[in-house]
């Protein structure tokens, strides 16, 4: 605990970029949840742009009460 799951458009990450996201996210999570680094897991899931609305925005809309930050491009109805 905790597990961070990031969905994003497909792209290739360098080892340096993966280390950077690991370091930044782990630092924020350990500080906020008052836990150690060994408790944190992070996964990255690519989602094709044409699938984004059906898969990601649908979930965001259904679970808006869980959002810490809504996307700026989302026009909530």
């Amino acid at each position: 605990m905790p597990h961070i799951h990031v969905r994003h458009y497909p792209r290739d990450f360098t080892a340096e970029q993966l280390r950077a996201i690991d370091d930044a996210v782990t630092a924020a999570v350990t500080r906020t949840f008052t836990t150690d680094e060994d408790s944190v897991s992070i996964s990255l899931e690519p989602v094709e742009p044409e699938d984004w609305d059906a898969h990601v925005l649908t979930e965001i809309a259904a679970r808006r009460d869980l959002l810490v930050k809504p996307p700026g491009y989302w026009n909530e109805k």
Side-chain angles (χ1 to χ4, degrees):
M1 137 44 202
H3 174 70
I4 309 303
H5 184 83
V6 179
R7 288 187 278 178
H8 58 88
Y9 283 179
R11 62 167 294 170
D12 293 325
F13 293 101
T14 64
E16 182 178 323
Q17 289 170 321
L18 290 172
R19 255 190 321 279
I21 194 167
D22 177 10
D23 291 346
V25 171
T26 299
V29 169
T30 56
R31 184 175 53 251
T32 304
F33 285 86
T34 317
T35 191
D36 63 6
E37 290 183 7
D38 290 338
S39 300
V40 179
S41 58
I42 304 167
S43 62
L44 300 176
E45 178 186 358
V47 177
E48 294 295 332
E50 60 270 16
D51 296 330
W52 190 262
D53 289 357
H55 294 282
V56 179
L57 283 184
T58 299
E59 180 180 325
I60 289 172
R63 303 180 79 187
R64 70 187 77 187
D65 59 313
L66 300 178
L67 288 176
V68 173
K69 179 189 179 302
Y73 61 83
W74 183 37
N75 294 319
E76 184 177 3
K77 294 177 175 56

